[in-house]
Amino acid sequence: MKILVAGGFGAGKTTLVGSVSEIRPLRTEEELSEQGRPVDDTSGVETKRTTTVAMDFGRIDLQPGLALYLFGTPGQDRFWFVWDELARGALGAVVIADTRRLADCFPSVDFFERRGIPFVVAVNCFDGAERFEVEEVRDALDLDPGIPVLLCDARLREDGKEVLVALVEHAAAGRHRAATARA
Ligand SMILES: Nc1nc2c(ncn2[C@@H]2O[C@H](COP(=O)(O)OP(=O)(O)OP(=O)(O)O)[C@@H](O)[C@H]2O)c(=O)[nH]1
Ligand SMILES: [Mg+2]
């Protein structure tokens, strides 16, 4: 199963792919440069030194016979053109949200809603960030009640796995509903 890991700049996409992957993840990190300063919005994540310029790639066997291929998207607006290519054939997506900059994940939510790709929202609970209930996040993002919202720490493998299990179950339930509707 091909899965996308999306979300705004610095939300923790590379971190999540790295923490759950059972292979050494492929990364395309580059230093944030002076040239990028006028176009890259780093507000809220001023300490960030590198950014994904193409994609992250990792793999995990979630259960016997179910391998997930994880594709982390780049977070900066100027790399949006990569998303269409990465999304081809994706069966689901994780949208990582940072509640300090929640609006940054709106474009990701729109992207998957418009393409009918099932997704879950994983709230990455950064140290020192104000905590919100999942229902508050759901309301703020104006999500359908059926879309799973989870709290996680992207650095923890078990949290990342929980998010992926929720996504696989959510995507499977959607396919089941579609098949039943056709029958
Ligand atoms: N405290 C805390 N720090 C985190 C967490 N997840 C990620 N970080 C840190 O936040 C920074 C951003 O993480 P990345 O994984 O690079 O974010 P990204 O979404 O891939 O960023 P771009 O590819 O540039 O859009 C890194 O310095 C991480 O170490 C978390 O759950 N808690
Ligand atoms: Mg990244």
Side-chain angles (χ1 to χ4, degrees):
M1 247 177 116
K2 178 178 179 179
I3 303 292
L4 251 56
V5 179
F9 173 58
K13 303 176 288 296
T14 301
T15 304
L16 186 124
V17 172
S19 64
V20 297
S21 182
E22 290 162 348
I23 59 168
R24 191 158 65 89
L26 170 86
R27 290 191 173 145
T28 60
E29 294 296 294
E30 290 294 340
E31 299 268 326
L32 283 160
S33 65
E34 276 304 317
Q35 286 97 319
R37 201 179 285 275
V39 275
D40 297 335
D41 180 11
T42 57
S43 49
V45 274
E46 289 84 359
T47 55
K48 206 164 176 320
R49 293 281 164 262
T50 64
T51 190
T52 304
V53 295
M55 59 183 269
D56 305 300
F57 177 74
R59 183 199 143 126
I60 176 174
D61 286 313
L62 208 55
Q63 45 180 262
L66 180 60
L68 302 188
Y69 293 87
L70 307 171
F71 290 76
T73 61
Q76 316 255 18
D77 295 351
R78 61 194 165 103
F79 296 125
W80 264 98
F81 68 94
V82 182
W83 284 51
D84 279 319
E85 198 63 44
L86 284 181
R88 201 169 295 166
L91 291 181
V94 175
V95 173
I96 304 189
D98 175 352
T99 52
R100 298 167 303 178
R101 299 169 297 130
L102 196 61
D104 287 9
C105 75
F106 290 170
S108 306
V109 169
D110 278 351
F111 182 91
F112 298 117
E113 274 180 349
R114 231 176 287 137
R115 285 164 180 75
I117 296 174
F119 65 95
V120 300
V121 173
V123 179
N124 193 7
C125 301
F126 282 85
D127 304 330
E130 196 183 334
R131 297 294 148 106
F132 295 92
E133 300 295 328
V134 291
E135 290 312 320
E136 293 179 279
V137 177
R138 181 193 305 286
D139 286 348
L141 291 174
D142 196 19
L143 296 174
D144 284 347
I147 296 176
V149 180
L150 300 96
L151 303 179
C152 76
D153 182 329
R155 297 167 299 181
L156 304 180
R157 183 177 160 71
E158 283 311 311
D159 280 22
K161 274 179 82 170
E162 225 169 85
V163 169
L164 294 174
V165 168
L167 172 61
V168 169
E169 287 174 352
H170 176 59
R175 288 162 88 86
H176 179 71
R177 269 196 306 277
T180 316
R182 273 198 305 273

